[in-house]
Amino acid sequence: ANFYFSLLDSMTMGFQNLSLGNNSVSFYQMCKLLVAPCTVVIQRVFFGEKLPSPSVMLSLLVLLTGIGFATVTDVQLNPLGTFFGVMSTGMVCVVSILTNTMQKAHDVNSFQMLLNVAPMEGLMLLVIGPIWDQWVVGKSA
């Protein structure tokens, strides 16, 4: 389980970097802000979890309204950047849900979870990072 979780989390970091590299900073930040409402939707639709309290829902509505206004003023969208933004947002949601699920299943706190997956993720990124950099930007770091 650690291997697959580490792989997914490493891919998430890669998509976040690609999103930042192919979008304006404001669009990248909007994608990050969408993680909370998207996580609520995914948990409701796929796992049947209850919706948060009305006060939390109101906060999410305010957040989404702000994102809507900001999106209208951000004219630097492009198809590839949007794809990377959507992928990174979706993957962060899935990793967040999996992290929560794994912590409950194994009765560990966030530090213990990090302690278990960080070595595998570090090794993956150490091996894949230079290859990925070469492919994406044409040079190694």
Side-chain angles (χ1 to χ4, degrees):
N2 266 359
F3 175 80
Y4 294 111
F5 179 83
S6 297
L7 182 63
L8 179 64
D9 200 26
S10 297
M11 289 172 54
T12 301
M13 287 183 243
F15 274 108
Q16 288 176 316
N17 287 339
L18 287 170
S19 175
L20 181 58
N22 288 278
N23 290 309
S24 64
V25 173
S26 59
F27 185 78
Y28 170 78
Q29 291 296 338
M30 284 185 283
C31 288
K32 292 192 69 82
L33 288 171
L34 280 171
V35 168
C38 288
T39 300
V40 168
V41 169
I42 290 171
Q43 287 181 316
R44 175 72 178 143
V45 170
F46 293 105
F47 301 104
E49 296 212 9
K50 295 187 321 183
L51 290 174
S53 67
S55 60
V56 171
M57 292 299 287
L58 180 60
S59 298
L60 292 176
L61 180 63
V62 170
L63 175 70
L64 289 172
T65 303
I67 290 171
F69 284 129
T71 303
V72 171
T73 62
D74 190 353
V75 293
Q76 298 178 354
L77 297 178
N78 65 73
L80 184 62
T82 302
F83 170 76
F84 289 139
V86 169
M87 288 298 294
S88 70
T89 300
M91 290 178 81
V92 168
C93 293
V94 170
V95 166
S96 176
I97 292 167
L98 282 175
T99 299
N100 188 25
T101 302
M102 290 175 74
Q103 282 180 290
K104 287 178 182 175
H106 299 292
D107 193 30
V108 295
N109 63 34
S110 57
F111 181 73
Q112 292 168 319
M113 178 81 172
L114 182 62
L115 189 62
N116 282 305
V117 298
M120 178 70 70
E121 285 183 30
L123 184 61
M124 285 180 182
L125 293 171
L126 182 66
V127 171
I128 296 170
I131 297 166
W132 187 259
D133 283 347
Q134 182 68 35
W135 180 65
V136 173
V137 294
K139 60 182 176 185
S140 291

